[in-house]
Amino acid sequence: MIHKNLLEVCTPKQWTTLSTKSFISDGKYPVYGANGIIGHYNDYNHINETVVIGCRGTCGAESVRIVPPYSYVNGNAMCFDNLIEEINIKFFFYFIYLRFYYFISHF
């Protein structure tokens, strides 16, 4: 088994937060926050699907999700971008999900 740290397999990043005043009701792309879709916008910051975890205003393992391609992820969620090709995104999602669930259940 090969062990790698997080920074060897992806690039964790918080993107710029859009204010709700910037949202466009009939925008082309969904805007994701800590708890899912919070609005729409006419631009995106993720061309590929990515794993995100809520980092403000959220609690619970349901804040871990796979965001679809062509989405804008707001700054109140941490993105695990640029996942290396050797790791399946669904495997990575469940790994993060279970680690997060274990962490919050032992507080």
Side-chain angles (χ1 to χ4, degrees):
M1 179 181 280
I2 298 172
H3 294 272
K4 293 188 177 205
N5 72 41
L6 186 65
L7 297 177
E8 292 177 293
V9 300
C10 68
T11 310
K13 181 174 181 172
Q14 280 182 272
W15 290 81
T16 302
T17 298
L18 295 174
S19 73
T20 55
K21 294 176 184 176
S22 301
F23 294 171
I24 301 167
S25 60
D26 61 346
K28 295 179 184 179
Y29 307 104
V31 178
Y32 283 84
N35 290 311
I37 296 175
I38 58 172
H40 288 83
Y41 196 59
N42 279 338
D43 199 7
Y44 54 85
N45 58 8
H46 287 84
I47 195 168
N48 298 313
E49 64 183 352
T50 191
V51 175
V52 302
I53 186 169
C55 56
R56 284 189 220 118
T58 180
C59 183
E62 62 274 356
S63 69
V64 181
R65 70 186 73 249
I66 297 176
V67 172
Y70 301 101
S71 298
Y72 193 102
V73 181
N74 232 4
N76 55 358
M78 175 68 68
C79 299
F80 298 101
D81 294 338
N82 307 315
L83 187 63
I84 62 173
E85 290 181 18
E86 294 87 352
I87 298 179
N88 177 286
I89 193 165
K90 288 183 178 159
F91 173 86
F92 186 74
F93 162 79
Y94 284 110
F95 175 79
I96 295 296
Y97 177 89
L98 291 172
R99 294 287 295 191
F100 183 71
Y101 181 76
Y102 178 82
F103 174 75
I104 63 170
S105 66
H106 286 82
F107 247 138

